[in-house]
Amino acid sequence: MDCIFCKIVDGSIPSKKVYEDDQIVCFYDLEPQAPVHALIIPKAHIACVDDINESNSSVVAHIFEKAPEIAKSLGLENGYRLVSNCGADAGQTVFHLHFHLLGGKKLNTNMA
Ligand code: AMP
Ligand code: ZN
């Protein structure tokens, strides 16, 4: 499968890793949209939020359990945004589930 985030997981594409464990990886976004912009992804390929189901949702819970720790390690004590684009209207460009972790400034409150 030609998925760039699967390639980041297997190491065939380089990334600036922030956190990794047996289930998830967090790395810096290539084109940051905030002073701190990282992506948290499951190691297993899930295309987008539409494809989360009973059999794979534990990794999504794990992402949310780890997000505060990752955010703190990136200095985001003052808050952060965790967001996932799903499908064309949201402008999803990489079809491997990922959560943008954004912060490091007072973020724009207009989310749409
Ligand atoms: P989305 O538009 O939600 O699908 O977001 C995809 C994100 O992945 C964008 O913010 C890109 O800048 C980022 N991205 C694409 N390729 C890479 C890469 N090789 N390493 C890090 N971030 C990437
Ligand atoms: Zn993938």
Side-chain angles (χ1 to χ4, degrees):
M1 187 171 21
D2 204 26
C3 170
I4 52 171
F5 287 179
C6 281
K7 288 179 179 166
I8 283 176
V9 170
D10 73 20
S12 56
I13 287 181
S15 67
K16 245 181 109 184
K17 286 205 181 95
V18 169
Y19 176 83
E20 180 170 14
D21 64 26
D22 57 326
Q23 294 184 66
I24 66 175
V25 187
C26 177
F27 52 93
Y28 284 109
D29 196 290
L30 216 50
E31 295 177 46
Q33 295 186 35
V36 176
H37 185 176
L39 301 170
I40 311 177
I41 71 168
K43 286 189 167 177
H45 183 87
I46 299 171
C48 68
V49 173
D50 278 345
D51 288 352
I52 298 170
N53 56 48
E54 272 183 15
S55 70
N56 63 20
S57 61
S58 64
V59 73
V60 180
H62 186 65
I63 285 172
F64 278 81
E65 284 161 9
K66 286 290 170 191
E69 179 187 312
I70 295 169
K72 278 193 186 69
S73 78
L74 293 172
L76 303 179
E77 276 88 7
N78 217 32
Y80 53 89
R81 181 168 293 151
L82 198 55
V83 65
S84 189
N85 294 319
C86 183
D89 276 3
Q92 184 180 6
T93 58
V94 178
F95 290 84
H96 180 127
L97 182 66
H98 53 279
F99 293 87
H100 297 259
L101 176 62
L102 298 148
K105 67 165 190 176
K106 186 135 183 72
L107 296 168
N108 194 336
T109 52
N110 179 5
M111 288 197 285

